[in-house]
Structure formats: structure tokens, C-alpha cells
């Protein structure tokens, strides 16, 4: 059975890191099992099970492997051996990261960041990273100097519980699709639509804005960039084969697009009635507010394109007073939802 490429690269890296002197291609070929299995020892013809091509095939594979290791960050030096041949060596000092030492403020920030991911795939990676830092001595000791089990919980930041919710089932498959550059298909219901529609998307980036996750990508059917709110994806996310058909921009502004749709790009002001104790995001954006009675407050908000879609999300807790066009847009959206 052929040895996997990852194992071959790992063995090559360990061989170069463990050597006390530069090793030639011939020595590496005779030392690494994957090369021996594929090409046989140097100076001999490959076995009947080996890859065809002999020395030329080995040279091509070795050069690819060496380039892959360098791309992963391994510093490989090219040196001349005592026999005048070209040799390769990866000095441990050149491939060792400096010690990690965090002060109290840095450790607190890192601890809080690691506790953000409570329900997503990143939770395990974040927890493992903190454990490694504690084991290596990179995290400062608790304020009382105590160690042992539970020491991390006694840090000053342990009482804070920040988190970014990622409850949508679409989050993890879309996160992996963005990472792997794989197109996806899903059913999506727009805020003003009675029924969901199928979307075929090349995903670029996920971003959280005001407690909601959004995906930016290229909509193949519509031939342009679109932004999708994950809570409106009504089906499972399915991967599609094939490479991306549109270039991925260097900068993808998910938040800027959503802010524009949600009325952050303002053209005036709007007045609404808001039920007391509700709609904190609206109150945070209000330029003025006053109490009407025990049940309602009146707020004045910056008004821009797409604000009707945002107000609809608050349902019966919001009543639009002005302008008239905004009130009509909100009513139309509520009627469309009621028909669903």
C-alpha cells in the first residue's frame, strides 16, 4: 500500500530536523520508507510494484516535497557536503518558535477569546491551545499563586462569559466550505418571500453582525455577489463539485453590505413606537427617545435603504409612525410573511 503524502512529508521533515549534517538526495531516498517503497534504494532499478521512472521520478517527487515543506514554514538549507554534493538540512534553531510569555492582560484577552466559541467546531481547538500554553508556562499563574486543577477557572476573567452564538445548522458546513473553497447549494427564504428558493453559491466569508451570522459569496444563478443570513437557510447545506467560477475578492465586506441593507447608510430619520423592555438594538441606534406610557416608547432612528426588513424582525413590538413609505414597506413585508 502506498504511503500517504502527509506521512511522507512528516518523515522527510523529521529526517531533515534530526540530522547532524546536510543529507544528500541519495541518503534521503535510502532513509525514508515512502521513497524506498516507491523507487527502491539508490543505484538499483525500482521493484515491479514501484512507480515507473526511477531516478527522474524520485527527483520530481523530492523537489515537490521539499517545496511543500518550505511552503508550510519549514526552513530547509541547501549546503555543500564534504564530498562536494548538494545536501539539505533543517536546523532546529531555525525552526523553533521563540518562547511564548504572556502578561496578565494578554492572557485575559486570550482566555476570553477562547471562551467565545461555545457551540462551534472551533471550541475544541481553542481549548486545546490554552491547555498547551498552560503546560508550556506561557500563561501567568493565578493571582493567588495557586496551581493545579481548576487554576485556570480562578483567573480574574473567569467570571466573564462572552460568546458568539453559532446555533444555525448551516454554520459548520459553510465554515468548512469557505475554508476549502467548495461551492454549496441550499434553500434560502428572503425576508419578504413566502417560500424559499434554491441557491447555488461559491462561499467566500462568514461574519457575525449584531448577533446574526451572514455569508458572503458569489451566487452562480444571479451572476453576482450576494450576502445571506444563515438563519434564513431552510435546508441542509450540500457541497458541489468543481472549482470556483468567479475570482474571490481580496477584501470581502460582509458587514458593510449588511449595514447598507439594514439602514446604516442613512437618507433621513424615522419615528417608531417600541414596546418597553424590547428591541435593544433599536434603542442603541436611536438618536432620540421618549416615554409614551407604561407600555410604549417613541424612538427616532436613522433611516436608510433596507430598514423595513430589520424592523419586521421585531414583529408586534414595533409600530412605524413615519415616514409613510417605511410604514407601507413594513406592512407589505408582514403581509408576505403571514401568507407563508
Amino acid at each position: 500500500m502506498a504511503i500517504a503524502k502527509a506521512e511522507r512529508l512528516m518523515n522527510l521533515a523529521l529526517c531533515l530536523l534530526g540530522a547532524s549534517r546536510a543529507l544528500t538526495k541519495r541518503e534521503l531516498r535510502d532513509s525514508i520508507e515512502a521513497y524506498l517503497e516507491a523507487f527502491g534504494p539508490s543505484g538499483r532499478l525500482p521493484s515491479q510494484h514501484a512507480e515507473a521512472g526511477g531516478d527522474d521520478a524520485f527527483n520530481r517527487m523530492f523537489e515537490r516535497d521539499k517545496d511543500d515543506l518550505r511552503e508550510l514554514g519549514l526552513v530547509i538549507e541547501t549546503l555543500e557536503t564534504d564530498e562536494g554534493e548538494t545536501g539539505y538540512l533543517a536546523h532546529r534553531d531555525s525552526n523553533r518558535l521563540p518562547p511564548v510569555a504572556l502578561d496578565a492582560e494578554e492572557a485575559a484577552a486570550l482566555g476570553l477569546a477562547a471562551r467565545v466559541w461555545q457551540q462551534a467546531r472551533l471550541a475544541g481547538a481553542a481549548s486545546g491551545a490554552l491547555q498547551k500554553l498552560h503546560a508550556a508556562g506561557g500563561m501567568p499563574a493565578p493571582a493567588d499563586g495557586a496551581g493545579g486543577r481548576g487554576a485556570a477557572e480562578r483567573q480574574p476573567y473567569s467570571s466573564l462569559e462572552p460568546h458568539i452564538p453559532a446555533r444555525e445548522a448551516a454554520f459548520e458546513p459553510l465554515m468548512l466550505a469557505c475554508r476549502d473553497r467548495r461551492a454549496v447549494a441550499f434553500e434560502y427564504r428572503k425576508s419578504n418571500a413566502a417560500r424559499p428558493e434554491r441557491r447555488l453559491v461559491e462561499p467566500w466569508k462568514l461574519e457575525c453582525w449584531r448577533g446574526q451570522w451572514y455569508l458572503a459569496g458569489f451566487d452562480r444563478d444571479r451572476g453576482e455577489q450576494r450576502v445571506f443570513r444563515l438563519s434564513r437557510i431552510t435546508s441542509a447545506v450540500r457541497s458541489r463539485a468543481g472549482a470556483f467560477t468567479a475570482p474571490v475578492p481580496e477584501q470581502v465586506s460582509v458587514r458593510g453590505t449588511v449595514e447598507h441593507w439594514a439602514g446604516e447608510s442613512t437618507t433621513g430619520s424615522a419615528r417608531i413606537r417600541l414596546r418597553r423592555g424590547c428591541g435593544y438594538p433599536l434603542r442603541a441606534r436611536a438618536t432620540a427617545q421618549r416615554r409614551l406610557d407604561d407600555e410604549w416608547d417613541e424612538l427616532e432612528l436613522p433611516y436608510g435603504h433596507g430598514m423595513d426588513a430589520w424592523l419586521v424582525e421585531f414583529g408586534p413590538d414595533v409600530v412605524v409612525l413615519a415616514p409613510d413609505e417605511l410604514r407601507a414597506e413594513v406592512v407589505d413585508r408582514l403581509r408576505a410573511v403571514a401568507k407563508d
Side-chain angles (χ1 to χ4, degrees):
M1 179 183 294
I3 296 175
K5 179 179 180 180
E7 182 178 348
R8 186 176 77 239
L9 291 177
M10 177 65 72
N11 289 336
L12 176 58
L14 292 174
C15 193
L16 292 171
L17 286 167
S20 58
R21 59 176 178 81
L23 300 176
T24 64
K25 286 184 183 181
R26 173 178 48 80
E27 291 173 315
L28 290 169
R29 175 173 172 170
D30 293 342
S31 302
I32 297 174
E33 182 181 359
Y35 295 147
L36 282 172
E37 179 183 289
F39 307 105
S42 59
R44 295 186 183 181
L45 293 175
S47 69
Q48 60 179 350
H49 302 293
E51 296 182 6
D55 293 342
D56 290 340
F58 163 71
N59 289 333
R60 289 194 297 270
M61 178 180 284
F62 175 75
E63 292 300 324
R64 288 196 303 267
D65 291 349
K66 182 157 56 70
D67 290 342
D68 287 343
L69 288 177
R70 282 173 169 163
E71 187 173 340
L72 290 171
L74 188 69
V75 180
I76 301 176
E77 297 182 41
T78 302
L79 305 170
E80 184 176 338
T81 67
D82 294 339
E83 293 77 20
E85 298 183 76
T86 300
Y88 305 93
L89 181 64
H91 284 291
R92 288 186 175 272
D93 290 343
S94 302
N95 291 281
R96 182 181 292 118
L97 293 175
V100 177
L102 304 176
D103 58 29
E105 290 78 9
E106 292 169 333
L110 197 59
L112 289 175
R115 300 176 72 164
V116 163
W117 298 100
Q118 306 249 328
Q119 300 156 356
R121 182 182 293 255
L122 299 178
S127 175
L130 278 188
Q131 290 177 6
K132 291 177 182 178
L133 283 172
H134 279 292
M139 299 286 279
D144 59 4
R149 182 178 177 85
E153 284 74 8
R154 292 193 293 272
Q155 293 288 350
Y157 55 79
S158 62
S159 60
L160 300 177
E161 292 289 346
H163 69 281
I164 297 177
R167 301 183 182 91
E168 294 88 352
F171 178 83
E172 287 195 12
L174 288 176
M175 179 184 69
L176 296 176
C178 289
R179 182 196 68 185
D180 300 336
R181 292 287 187 258
R182 287 184 285 103
V184 293
F186 50 80
E187 297 289 323
Y188 187 77
R189 184 184 64 79
K190 296 190 295 185
S191 60
N192 61 344
R195 292 179 176 81
E197 298 176 346
R198 181 180 179 275
R199 299 296 184 97
L200 182 57
V201 179
E202 298 173 6
W204 294 342
K205 181 180 180 182
L206 285 167
E207 189 166 328
C208 187
W209 186 76
R210 292 189 171 174
Q212 297 287 345
W213 280 100
Y214 295 87
L215 169 73
F218 180 76
D219 190 319
R220 286 184 177 176
D221 295 329
R222 289 153 183 81
E224 61 183 8
Q225 175 183 343
R226 292 295 176 92
V227 173
F228 307 90
R229 200 169 90 176
L230 267 60
S231 62
R232 293 182 181 146
I233 295 177
T234 61
S235 70
V237 176
R238 295 179 173 84
S239 298
R240 290 292 179 264
F244 278 14
T245 60
V248 180
E250 293 185 4
Q251 298 292 332
V252 181
S253 179
V254 179
R255 184 169 303 183
T257 302
V258 178
E259 284 177 350
H260 177 71
W261 286 353
E264 293 289 327
S265 179
T266 60
T267 58
S269 62
R271 287 189 304 112
I272 66 169
R273 280 196 309 173
L274 179 63
R275 199 182 303 275
R276 294 183 64 79
C278 300
Y280 172 76
L282 295 174
R283 298 181 187 276
R285 290 192 56 223
T287 56
Q289 59 180 304
R290 66 185 182 91
R291 179 172 179 173
L292 294 177
D293 52 41
D294 291 339
E295 186 177 3
W296 296 94
D297 293 330
E298 181 178 316
L299 279 66
E300 186 168 333
L301 299 166
Y303 169 45
H305 172 72
M307 189 177 186
D308 55 321
W310 191 31
L311 294 178
V312 165
E313 298 175 11
F314 296 93
D317 294 326
V318 168
V319 177
V320 178
L321 302 176
D324 292 339
E325 61 267 24
L326 176 60
R327 180 182 178 88
E329 290 169 352
V330 170
V331 171
D332 288 344
R333 285 182 177 271
L334 289 173
R335 286 174 176 167
V337 172
K339 290 179 182 178
D340 190 1

